[in-house]
Amino acid sequence: MRILVAGGDGFCGWPTALYLSSRGHEVAIADNLMRREWDRELGTEPLKEISSLEDRLARWKEVSGREIKDYRGDLCDADFVFEMMDDFKPEAFVHFAEQRSAPYSMIDRAHAVFTQQNNVVGNLNVMYAIQEVVPECHLIKLGTMGEYGTPNIDIEEGWIEIEHKGRKDRMLYPKMPGSFYHLSKVHDSANLEFGCRIWGMRVTDLNQGVVYNVETDETASDPVLANRYDYDGVFGTALNRFIAQAANGNQITVYGTGGQTRGFIDIRDTVRCIEIAAENPAERGDFRVFNQFTEQWSVLELAQLVVKVATEMGLEPKMVNLPNPRVEKESHYYKAANTRLIDLGLKPHLLTEETVESLLSAAIENRDRIHPETFDPQVNWRSARYR
Ligand code: NAD
Ligand code: USQ
């Protein structure tokens, strides 16, 4: 298939582009490399050095013999999106290209506005370009489990049957997200469902949980192909961050009591989920939603797992409960459905002590690149700064 991976220079997009290419698909990447700028803005860098996109693509061609086309531009630039769509004519469009950090979106007014504009406008441009140029194209859109929040009832996959005053209907599952970033995904989902309803678009919205681990077979096959590993307080996510903290002898930062429970997924399963979605396209007019995570963990359980494995490796990890910089429930019910990808053939890599150990070893190896001043949470949900 011809598959366009938007956000293909990023943490999930790069391994996905390589995996799909290795499986024989004709792959192109779209990216404006903005993520590399945000590292400079925040005074951090990935734990392992990552090569330029040009070098990455040239090396992939050398090691695999396969070419990945490179469209350099911003999805918010309507002409860029239209021309790319017209040139590549994708059969599947995998959309990772958004600002994805909750703390970044909560820095101040400007970052909240930027996040929602970047995400919502980029997605609308993609929807219109598909509709005009390649209406049969299947849009595989990355959403997030955080769209649902932490309701006191079971979370379904996108839709729920509701009975109200004696009448029943199938409705979009109610959403109560926890940041302006997570809200941008809710807005995207509402726009996509509308696109399916009015134009008959084919859409799969993948509500992905927190992604951990870093490398896949393809990214690990050559140092120039290495994936980015974020550990800082803005873009770093729970498990990968805790591992970098333990490796560098810094405190493992559990926010509040750590009772916050979330869905998690190994990056090796992320790439496979995208392949499964692409190979089993949504029907026209079907706003299809899959919850893309493989297991639930509380933040405290993850921190304790890292402490255990790090101690066995001879480190002296320390865990701290910081006052929570976010506004979120720390003790709550959480039970989310995640059977649809498994029914289509996903065989999950569950989180093991071996995975934690291999991540710890990688972090220890690259310890000299860590900027420990970026570990502490720098953004407070309660501050509402105008500038
Ligand atoms: P990332 O920031 O590493 O990658 C995103 C890429 O998109 C970057 O290379 C960036 O330069 C590019 N990009 C952003 N806005 C763009 C625009 N307007 N035009 C062109 N390119 C643009 O993020 P990631 O971790 O790979 O996440 C990818 C997607 O998956 C996001 O939509 C995110 O919301 C979703 N997701 C990620 C996680 C996670 O734990 N990383 C979990 C659930 C969902
Ligand atoms: N947390 C800590 N300590 C830390 C970092 C985080 O306790 O040092 C807690 C947070 O308070 C939160 C949980 O861990 O309760 C998850 O936080 P996170 O930073 O790992 O993940 P989150 O902000 O939810 O965002 C990440 C990705 C985002 C994606 C989301 C999936 O950055 O793109 O959408 O995971 S989900 O969580 O399912 O919404």
Side-chain angles (χ1 to χ4, degrees):
M1 283 171 87
R2 271 190 319 285
I3 307 183
L4 206 149
V5 181
D9 189 48
F11 170 61
C12 297
W14 174 242
T16 299
L18 296 191
Y19 178 70
L20 294 173
S21 175
S22 76
R23 307 281 289 173
H25 296 290
E26 188 183 338
V27 176
I29 279 177
D31 207 297
N32 60 357
L33 308 190
M34 205 161 18
R35 178 68 189 86
R36 295 175 184 245
E37 280 304 312
W38 298 330
D39 274 344
R40 285 188 274 276
E41 176 191 343
L42 298 166
T44 188
E45 56 187 340
L47 179 62
K48 279 199 241 171
E49 191 174 355
I50 53 168
S51 306
S52 67
L53 182 54
E54 292 81 356
D55 288 351
R56 282 176 153 186
L57 294 175
R59 182 58 55 90
W60 178 245
K61 194 169 174 192
E62 281 165 22
V63 302
S64 70
R66 303 192 60 84
E67 191 151 1
I68 294 181
K69 206 163 172 180
D70 175 14
Y71 292 98
R72 202 66 63 86
D74 187 339
L75 293 193
C76 293
D77 174 346
D79 292 337
F80 164 72
V81 176
F82 188 93
E83 281 155 25
M84 169 175 73
M85 211 69 88
D86 199 37
D87 188 59
F88 191 66
K89 299 209 169 52
E91 292 158 280
F93 187 107
V94 183
H95 183 6
F96 288 111
E98 297 200 335
Q99 191 301 96
R100 68 97 172 142
S101 158
Y104 190 87
S105 75
M106 300 300 289
I107 292 175
D108 58 11
R109 183 203 59 84
H111 287 80
V113 170
F114 167 76
T115 299
Q116 294 211 351
Q117 264 174 357
N118 184 62
N119 296 0
V120 175
V121 173
N123 186 55
L124 274 170
N125 286 343
V126 169
M127 287 173 61
Y128 268 90
I130 287 180
Q131 187 53 19
E132 172 112 359
V133 183
V134 275
E136 287 299 326
C137 174
H138 175 205
L139 174 53
I140 300 171
K141 167 68 172 53
L142 269 292
T144 172
M145 284 303 292
E147 291 184 37
Y148 304 113
T150 51
N152 198 31
I153 56 171
D154 289 14
I155 294 172
E156 306 302 332
E157 303 203 54
W159 295 86
I160 185 169
E161 282 270 336
I162 293 185
E163 186 170 347
H164 181 62
K165 297 190 176 169
R167 302 183 66 81
K168 277 192 194 160
D169 205 348
R170 179 175 177 258
M171 320 278 289
L172 284 179
Y173 193 94
K175 308 281 175 78
M176 208 185 282
S179 73
F180 285 119
Y181 151 70
H182 287 98
L183 272 155
S184 75
K185 296 287 190 180
V186 174
H187 306 326
D188 285 343
S189 295
N191 288 343
L192 290 166
E193 189 277 332
F194 186 60
C196 291
R197 201 156 23 102
I198 58 168
W199 296 328
M201 289 187 78
R202 293 177 195 277
V203 176
T204 302
D205 202 6
L206 295 172
N207 284 342
Q208 186 169 236
V210 185
V211 182
Y212 66 87
N213 208 349
V214 178
E215 306 293 0
T216 57
D217 287 348
E218 294 76 27
T219 63
S221 67
D222 188 294
V224 177
L225 301 178
N227 197 17
R228 60 177 309 125
Y229 183 146
D230 301 313
Y231 63 81
D232 62 281
V234 176
F235 275 91
T237 51
L239 181 67
N240 285 3
R241 217 167 116 64
F242 296 163
I243 284 168
Q245 290 168 330
N248 202 45
N250 294 94
Q251 291 181 328
I252 295 175
T253 53
V254 172
Y255 296 164
T257 59
Q260 305 92 306
T261 301
R262 299 285 183 271
F264 286 82
I265 182 167
D266 188 307
I267 186 107
R268 294 171 293 178
D269 291 337
T270 293
V271 303
R272 170 74 180 127
C273 289
I274 303 295
E275 179 185 39
I276 289 174
E279 288 177 351
N280 300 276
E283 296 296 326
R284 286 205 69 152
D286 179 18
F287 177 64
R288 187 172 70 161
V289 184
F290 295 161
N291 290 345
Q292 183 168 310
F293 72 95
T294 57
E295 53 192 323
Q296 297 185 180
W297 288 81
S298 76
V299 168
L300 183 64
E301 287 166 344
L302 284 182
Q304 286 167 338
L305 176 67
V306 174
V307 167
K308 177 172 187 280
V309 179
T311 305
E312 283 163 10
M313 289 172 74
L315 298 166
E316 290 175 10
K318 301 175 283 287
M319 194 175 85
V320 63
N321 290 89
L322 295 179
N324 198 334
R326 305 187 184 196
V327 177
E328 60 187 358
K329 288 185 198 149
E330 293 171 14
S331 171
H332 58 89
Y333 178 77
Y334 198 76
K335 185 159 178 264
N338 65 341
T339 52
R340 299 192 71 187
L341 282 157
I342 307 238
D343 290 346
L344 288 171
L346 176 66
K347 303 255 181 302
H349 292 85
L350 297 180
L351 178 56
T352 60
E353 294 189 6
E354 290 69 47
T355 300
V356 175
E357 194 182 326
S358 81
L359 282 168
L360 272 165
S361 302
I364 291 166
E365 228 170 83
N366 293 281
R367 198 152 41 184
D368 55 325
R369 287 175 54 87
I370 289 180
H371 299 249
E373 70 283 2
T374 69
F375 273 138
D376 281 338
Q378 297 128 39
V379 184
N380 194 303
W381 263 227
R382 295 164 184 86
S383 64
R385 284 166 44 205
Y386 199 85
R387 53 170 72 92

